Amino acid sequence: MIDQLVSCDETRSNTIFKISAENVLVDIDSGELSEAGIIENIAQTAAAGLGYITRQSNKPIMIGYIAAIKNLEIFAQPKIGDVIDTVVTIENQVFDVTIIAGSVKRNDELLAKCEMKIFIQNNNTQTKID
C-alpha cells in the first residue's frame, strides 16, 4: 500500500502511493480509496520506516500488528490516479507497543489523520527478506 519510501529516520517516515483501480481497497463505484485503505496506508508507512531502520542496523525484521486506532479523522478520500503523501511520526514507545501519529495528504490537502498503537512482536527469530 505504498510505492516509495521517500524519507526515514529514527522517528519519522514519509511515503508516497498512487491510487490504482486494481487495488482491492478501492471502491470501483466511487473510484475512491476506502477508509480501510487509508488506515492500511498509514500502517504500511510505519512498517516501511521500521523495516528500513532495522535493516540499516543489521537487526532482525520485526512483525507488527495494529493494536488500536484513536482519533481517526477522514476529511476526504483520494481517487484513482491521485498520489498521496503519508507521514508517520513515532510519538512514544512502551515495551512492545509503538504509538504513532499518521497523516495523509494529497498535494497540500489533509485527507486523514489518526493515532495508532502498533504491537511489535518480540521474538528472537529473524525473518529473512530477499
Side-chain angles (χ1 to χ4, degrees):
M1 293 289 299
I2 63 170
D3 289 324
Q4 181 181 358
L5 180 62
V6 177
S7 65
C8 180
D9 62 30
E10 293 290 332
T11 60
R12 186 177 182 275
S13 302
N14 178 212
T15 64
I16 56 173
F17 178 58
K18 184 174 183 177
I19 312 305
S20 72
E22 292 79 31
N23 188 301
V24 298
L25 295 175
V26 168
D27 180 338
I28 297 302
D29 294 331
S30 69
E32 295 176 333
L33 183 65
S34 67
E35 292 90 347
I38 292 170
I39 292 166
E40 185 62 24
N41 173 258
I42 293 170
Q44 290 296 316
T45 297
L50 178 60
Y52 179 81
I53 293 297
T54 56
R55 205 153 190 201
Q56 293 300 310
S57 304
N58 291 320
K59 294 180 182 175
I61 301 296
M62 297 174 279
I63 298 172
Y65 305 94
I66 298 172
I69 299 169
K70 183 176 172 184
N71 299 325
L72 173 65
E73 293 183 81
I74 298 178
F75 307 106
Q77 291 168 254
K79 296 192 176 296
I80 294 170
D82 287 348
V83 175
I84 57 175
D85 185 341
T86 305
V87 174
V88 165
T89 305
I90 295 174
E91 299 288 315
N92 200 357
Q93 287 185 285
V94 180
F95 300 108
D96 294 336
V97 177
T98 301
I99 300 169
I100 60 106
S103 64
V104 180
K105 291 184 178 182
R106 173 181 49 208
N107 301 319
D108 289 327
E109 176 190 8
L110 181 62
L111 301 178
K113 65 180 183 173
C114 74
E115 181 180 285
M116 216 177 263
K117 290 182 183 177
I118 301 172
F119 174 75
I120 306 296
Q121 185 176 333
N122 189 3
N123 61 23
N124 294 327
T125 60
Q126 183 168 350
T127 302
K128 183 178 180 187
I129 306 249
D130 293 322

